[in-house]
Amino acid sequence: MKLEIYADVLCPWCYIGKRRLTTALAAHTGRDRVEMIWRSYELAPEEGRIPGPTAAEAMAGWWGEQVPARIARIRSLGAVEGLELNLHLARPVNTFDAHRLSKLAADRGRADQMMELLLHAYHTEGLNVADAQVLQRLGGEAGLDGDEVRAVLAGDEYAGQVRADRRRAAEHGVTGVPSLVIDGRPPVSGVQPVAELQRLLEHNPTGSHTAPATLDRPG
């Protein structure tokens, strides 16, 4: 089975979905035959590298009085999965380099570890995941060679792969994150309950398309 996961570091639902998918895969009878590929999907490519308002502040501009309830729901669902989602600390930035670092990690068999570290750094610690020094440290924690990480961040290696994922998402009909594409079939939401994710993995049905994502809502 080829399992493609479209995700972005800025999305709290991607962190929740990652934990649920990990649980579902652990119980999957054919786990050793699953080829898992993390695909880049930039939710806010227009963002700069210098952090601005927090995710919570951005949501206030979108949802007004509904924000406290929405944030409480995200935090509550995250806590169920053992996650501390600090939307009052997380500040949206450009994730292009973070995605390039993930591509390097994938080439070294460390993609899952890299995504976990990036998501934790952004959503729990409130770190700037566009900062080269932060990415350098996280790459080291993921087991990547420091010189190699520095070389990638200083150049444009893997930029083509990140852009190719953007085109691939459009071709597959992916309009939000987290989205799962199983064996090339239409995308399905990657933030479904564990039992439903297990059913998808076991039976591999056609599924339904996902809806567009925002920073506080699953796609």
Side-chain angles (χ1 to χ4, degrees):
M1 178 189 298
K2 183 176 182 179
L3 176 61
E4 298 173 80
I5 310 162
Y6 287 85
D8 189 43
V9 180
L10 301 184
C11 176
W13 294 103
C14 288
Y15 205 0
I16 294 171
K18 182 179 184 299
R19 283 297 173 87
R20 291 180 179 178
L21 182 60
T22 297
T23 301
L25 282 169
H28 181 46
T29 55
R31 175 65 183 89
D32 293 339
R33 297 189 298 276
V34 176
E35 179 189 5
M36 192 164 66
I37 303 173
W38 286 95
R39 297 289 186 193
S40 305
Y41 191 104
E42 298 171 87
L43 278 178
E46 74 286 350
E47 288 283 355
R49 297 175 185 274
I50 299 175
T54 66
E57 290 169 341
M59 290 174 189
W62 305 333
W63 306 115
E65 295 180 356
Q66 301 178 40
V67 168
R70 287 175 179 262
I71 289 178
R73 177 171 177 253
I74 293 171
R75 288 177 57 85
S76 176
L77 290 174
V80 171
E81 306 302 330
L83 304 176
E84 182 181 342
L85 301 176
N86 296 320
L87 282 75
H88 61 291
L89 296 179
R91 296 177 182 272
V93 288
N94 188 285
T95 56
F96 192 75
D97 283 348
H99 283 298
R100 291 199 302 122
L101 182 59
S102 294
K103 293 300 185 185
L104 168 63
D107 276 355
R108 302 297 177 262
R110 311 293 293 176
D112 195 71
Q113 295 92 328
M114 192 72 258
M115 284 301 300
E116 180 69 27
L117 287 165
L118 286 166
L119 289 163
H120 183 271
Y122 177 76
H123 291 287
T124 301
E125 299 181 73
L127 297 182
N128 179 1
V129 292
D131 183 88
Q133 291 186 340
V134 171
L135 294 176
Q136 178 74 39
R137 177 173 67 80
L138 295 176
E141 291 177 7
L144 302 179
D145 179 80
D147 290 338
E148 196 169 27
V149 171
R150 278 188 289 272
V152 167
L153 294 176
D156 62 357
E157 193 172 359
Y158 297 105
Q161 289 190 28
V162 174
R163 296 187 182 103
D165 280 355
R166 188 184 305 162
R167 295 190 295 270
R168 187 180 183 90
E171 292 168 0
H172 279 288
V174 173
T175 57
V177 290
S179 287
L180 306 179
V181 173
I182 303 174
D183 286 337
R185 288 180 164 82
V188 295
S189 171
V191 74
Q192 300 181 59
V194 171
E196 182 60 21
L197 291 172
Q198 289 174 330
R199 187 185 71 82
L200 288 169
L201 294 171
E202 294 293 343
H203 302 292
N204 198 5
T206 298
S208 59
H209 286 272
T210 58
T214 66
L215 295 185
D216 80 314
R217 189 183 66 186

